[in-house]
């Protein structure tokens, strides 16, 4: 079941580190709807996949707003981020008992190979100037039958225009467009098996790319 968190609760626990962007509890209905649509599409993509539901990694999970949904869908969910303050409050508020928090840098964390049936990387990979830093661990942590699901901002002219209209400042660490990140993932052996767009009707000028990836089997 997809669980949309109460915007008043999010506003209460949000801190100035922006792990929960104000867009999730914005008073502007359109802005709030677009950002939640990304997570709804990731959830929808998960439901269409025939994968095991044992383990899931919420990579760079920010404020933990997707944890209630993932906890309902998987036996065990791992949350990896540099900060965990808001995520712990989400876990407590929604009484989630199957979440393990890993507060560490991806370049330093040590997880077993082939650990996860699904890895969710929602609007996080574009924040890495060196894309190899997250990509190599993600490749090793994904089970052979597992999937990686990414959400990435396109940064196209409509995206930039909407930033101006709604007075939303581009984060200084948005180093790549969604297209650049996706091209890199393909160069590293990931193969897209499904792609959707946010908003759904803007296939030519989407704001976000929601893509399901599998690793290509090694060549013999």
């Amino acid at each position: 079941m997809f669980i949309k968190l109460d915007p008043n609760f999010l506003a209460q626990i949000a801190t100035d580190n922006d792990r929960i962007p104000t867009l999730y509890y914005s008073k502007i209905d359109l802005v709030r709807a677009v950002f939640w649509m990304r997570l709804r599409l990731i959830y929808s993509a998960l439901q269409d996949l025939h994968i095991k539901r044992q383990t899931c990694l919420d990579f760079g999970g920010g404020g933990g707003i997707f944890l209630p949904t993932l906890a309902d869908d998987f036996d065990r969910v791992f949350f990896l981020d540099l900060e965990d303050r808001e995520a712990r409050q989400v876990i407590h508020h929604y009484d989630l008992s199957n979440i393990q928090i890993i507060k560490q840098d991806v370049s330093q964390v040590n997880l077993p190979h082939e650990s996860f049936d699904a890895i969710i990387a929602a609007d996080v990979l574009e924040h890495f100037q060196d894309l190899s830093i997250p990509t190599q661990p993600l490749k090793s942590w994904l089970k052979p039958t597992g999937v990686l699901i990414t959400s990435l901002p396109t940064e196209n002219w409509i995206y930039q225009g909407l930033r101006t209209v709604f007075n939303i400042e581009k984060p200084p660490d948005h180093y790549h467009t969604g297209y650049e990140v996706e091209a890199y993932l393909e160069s590293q052996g990931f193969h897209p098996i499904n792609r959707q767009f946010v908003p759904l009707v803007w296939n030519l000028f989407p704001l976000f790319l929601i893509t399901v990836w599998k690793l290509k089997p090694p060549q013999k």
Side-chain angles (χ1 to χ4, degrees), residues 12 17-18 22 27 30 94 98 106-108 111 115 120 140 146 166 172 174 180 187 196 198 214:
Q12 288 175 0
N17 66 17
D18 203 32
T22 57
K27 294 182 179 179
L30 177 61
Y94 286 88
N98 59 339
V106 65
S107 64
Q108 299 173 354
L111 292 174
S115 298
I120 310 300
S140 70
F166 293 110
H174 268 209
E180 291 168 343
S187 76
Q196 300 185 69
V198 176
K214 288 185 72 75

Side-chain angles (χ1 to χ4, degrees), residues 182-193:
E182 291 208 337
Y184 183 81
L185 289 174
E186 290 202 58
S187 76
Q188 298 302 303
F190 284 95
H191 173 65
I193 61 172

Side-chain angles (χ1 to χ4, degrees), residues 59 116-121 125 131-150 152 181-195 211-218:
F59 177 73
F116 300 106
D117 299 301
I119 298 177
I120 310 300
L125 297 181
L131 289 170
S132 69
I133 291 175
T135 302
Q136 296 310 310
L138 292 179
K139 287 177 65 175
S140 70
W141 296 337
L142 200 61
K143 292 181 180 179
T145 57
V147 295
L148 168 68
I149 305 183
T150 58
L152 294 160
V181 176
E182 291 208 337
Y184 183 81
L185 289 174
E186 290 202 58
S187 76
Q188 298 302 303
F190 284 95
H191 173 65
I193 61 172
N194 184 27
R195 180 175 287 118
T211 307
V212 182
W213 307 84
K214 288 185 72 75
L215 276 171
K216 296 178 181 177

Side-chain angles (χ1 to χ4, degrees), residues 24-86:
Y24 285 108
Y25 54 90
S26 170
K27 294 182 179 179
I28 303 173
D29 292 343
L30 177 61
V31 171
R32 199 169 63 247
V34 166
F35 267 76
W36 279 106
M37 187 187 299
R38 296 152 47 258
L39 298 184
R40 285 187 183 276
L41 287 180
I42 291 175
Y43 174 74
S44 176
L46 276 171
Q47 302 317 297
D48 292 338
L49 294 168
H50 299 288
I51 60 171
K52 292 182 178 179
R53 306 281 164 162
Q54 295 174 341
T55 54
C56 176
L57 173 64
D58 190 2
F59 177 73
I65 62 173
F66 206 27
L67 288 178
T69 296
L70 296 176
D72 186 65
D73 208 42
F74 289 87
D75 295 337
R76 297 179 68 199
V77 177
F78 294 77
F79 170 92
L80 173 60
D81 204 297
L82 291 170
E83 299 290 342
D84 64 354
R85 179 177 170 182
E86 294 95 336

Side-chain angles (χ1 to χ4, degrees), residues 34 37-38 41 152-160 162 177-179 182 195-211:
V34 166
M37 187 187 299
R38 296 152 47 258
L41 287 180
L152 294 160
T154 60
E155 298 289 355
N156 58 29
W157 64 272
I158 292 181
Y159 193 107
Q160 295 173 22
L162 289 174
T177 69
Y179 301 107
E182 291 208 337
R195 180 175 287 118
Q196 300 185 69
F197 306 95
V198 176
L200 292 170
V201 295
W202 286 8
N203 290 11
L204 293 178
F205 303 105
L207 302 181
F208 295 92
L209 311 173
I210 312 296
T211 307

